[in-house]
Amino acid sequence: MPPLPLFHLLLVAASLAEPSAGNMLDPGMCQKSVACGDSVDVRYPFFLTDATAAIVGNTAYSYCGYPGMAIICEGGRATLRLKGNEYTVLNINYEDHTVTVADTEVLSGGDCPRVTRNVTVPPEAWLNISTTASINLSFFFDCVFTAATPPPPAMSPINCSSFLGRDRVSYVVEEPDVAPADQWPRACKGMVVVPVLKELLLGSDEYLARLNSDGYGKVLKQGFQLSWDPSAGPCFMCEQSKGQCSYNQSGEIHRLLMLRRQRAQPGLR
Ligand SMILES: *[C@@H]1O[C@H](CO)[C@@H](O)[C@H](O)[C@H]1NC(C)=O
Ligand SMILES: *[C@@H]1O[C@H](CO)[C@@H](O)[C@H](O)[C@H]1NC(C)=O
Ligand SMILES: *[C@@H]1O[C@H](CO)[C@@H](O)[C@H](O)[C@H]1NC(C)=O
Ligand SMILES: *[C@@H]1O[C@H](CO)[C@@H](O)[C@H](O)[C@H]1NC(C)=O
Ligand SMILES: *[C@@H]1O[C@H](CO)[C@@H](O)[C@H](O)[C@H]1NC(C)=O
């Protein structure tokens, strides 16, 4: 007789919503790990969705994964939407609970991209910008200095060719280098703050020394890090026993999928 398997998987699906046939959570839907392109593996608490379904409020569907962690996979590119803006997913680390993303607009913006938006992570995304891994770059665009508001003495404006030949100058600086009392930013028209990977920027001279030329673009294209905290969510207990949850459009638990390990041999416990 072949030896009995030590473990077998017991699947328990528990519904919090009114039980109905259409409500059943397909266990396969939760467990699937899907490759998107060469470097991104999409699995719980992320989930794949198509571009139209990702528009919140579109349909009354539910998803297996955390709210706001929908990934659109198109042409090998994984995209996460934050406040309607598209970010390309560069890497997901499921052990450290971090995801590295870069502004899609910046990735397609040439060597010296013009950054047009602040990064805003809405609370409903269940993601936070990793404070330890990040440092902010501040951009000041289209500055016109006067005798009353002179340029900063120790900083060089962005000197990429796409920024030259205008009557205005722009700057990119590490956020800590601008004091709230500084007057010169008032001479600038647009200000944008974007997080970048701290280790990358401060780890060597490669980017910092050329920040005002092509250095900033290179750093931006490597993205910034967001993290999630499973223990902050309502599914933590369930996940501890290898379960997963699906949520409805309001981000409330719709179904629990408990996947429990059970001893097949009685008496061993
Ligand atoms: C994000 O940060 C806020 C404030 O520090 C915290 O309350 C929240 O639980 C964090 N969310 C996640 C998903 O880590
Ligand atoms: C970056 O800027 C944002 C918004 O201006 C701020 O909330 C955040 O704390 C800053 N991050 C760091 C690492 O300084
Ligand atoms: C970005 O945030 C700063 C405050 O941190 C604000 O002054 C600026 O107007 C914002 N820029 C855009 C493009 O929304
Ligand atoms: C732009 O500035 C960098 C230093 O940050 C310098 O190496 C480079 O030669 C400058 N380029 C031009 C076109 O002035
Ligand atoms: C989500 O589920 C909660 C609790 O079951 C319910 O109150 C809420 O109306 C649901 N939202 C949607 C959009 O279905």
Side-chain angles (χ1 to χ4, degrees):
M1 217 177 88
L4 279 173
L6 250 186
F7 298 98
H8 77 268
L9 293 173
L10 175 72
L11 205 64
V12 183
S15 174
L16 291 185
E18 285 300 302
S20 83
N23 246 351
M24 205 57 204
L25 184 64
D26 169 11
M29 169 184 138
C30 262
Q31 292 169 84
K32 236 184 320 198
S33 168
V34 188
C36 181
D38 294 331
S39 54
V40 179
D41 181 29
V42 181
R43 60 174 195 262
Y44 188 87
F46 291 87
F47 58 97
L48 272 187
T49 182
D50 60 52
T52 45
I55 300 165
V56 171
N58 190 35
T59 46
Y61 78 112
S62 72
Y63 39 80
C64 185
Y66 293 175
M69 287 169 67
I71 287 184
I72 300 157
C73 185
E74 267 172 6
R77 178 196 286 261
T79 299
L80 186 74
R81 284 212 183 120
L82 298 172
K83 281 271 178 207
N85 297 327
E86 296 196 345
Y87 292 86
T88 299
V89 179
L90 305 177
N91 179 57
I92 304 178
N93 186 324
Y94 290 93
E95 284 70 46
D96 294 347
H97 308 128
T98 58
V99 50
T100 307
V101 299
D103 189 332
T104 304
E105 214 174 71
V106 162
L107 287 177
S108 61
D111 287 345
C112 297
R114 177 110 186 177
V115 187
T116 61
R117 52 206 191 191
N118 289 332
V119 176
T120 316
V121 185
E124 59 270 23
W126 290 23
L127 288 163
N128 278 335
I129 295 173
S130 315
T131 45
T132 48
S134 309
I135 185 165
N136 282 335
L137 285 184
S138 302
F139 290 85
F140 299 92
F141 293 110
D142 301 325
C143 312
V144 179
F145 297 108
T146 60
T149 317
M155 287 175 198
S156 309
I158 297 176
N159 72 6
C160 301
S161 56
S162 53
F163 281 81
L164 298 178
R166 302 157 61 110
D167 56 349
R168 286 137 195 244
V169 291
S170 300
Y171 292 83
V172 51
V173 294
E174 278 177 77
E175 190 178 59
D177 288 348
V178 186
D182 286 355
Q183 292 300 305
W184 69 265
R186 290 167 198 268
C188 310
K189 273 180 74 182
M191 189 217 183
V192 176
V193 183
V194 217
V196 294
L197 296 170
K198 192 179 190 169
E199 203 180 282
L200 196 68
L201 185 69
L202 306 182
S204 76
D205 237 13
E206 194 182 344
Y207 306 102
L208 211 47
R210 302 181 52 79
L211 198 63
N212 69 320
S213 53
D214 57 358
Y216 86 83
K218 286 183 174 155
V219 174
L220 284 181
K221 284 169 200 266
Q222 294 181 70
F224 59 92
Q225 204 179 70
L226 299 165
S227 61
W228 70 94
D229 177 8
S231 69
C235 194
F236 188 52
M237 294 288 278
C238 177
E239 288 168 358
Q240 290 275 285
S241 45
K242 305 246 178 284
Q244 297 173 330
C245 296
S246 76
Y247 298 82
N248 71 7
Q249 285 285 288
S250 329
E252 288 178 80
I253 290 185
H254 178 230
R255 291 189 148 274
L256 305 176
L257 183 73
M258 304 295 289
L259 203 57
R260 261 203 335 248
R261 286 183 133 199
Q262 237 202 15
R263 298 248 178 200
Q265 287 172 306
L268 278 177
R269 257 217 69 87

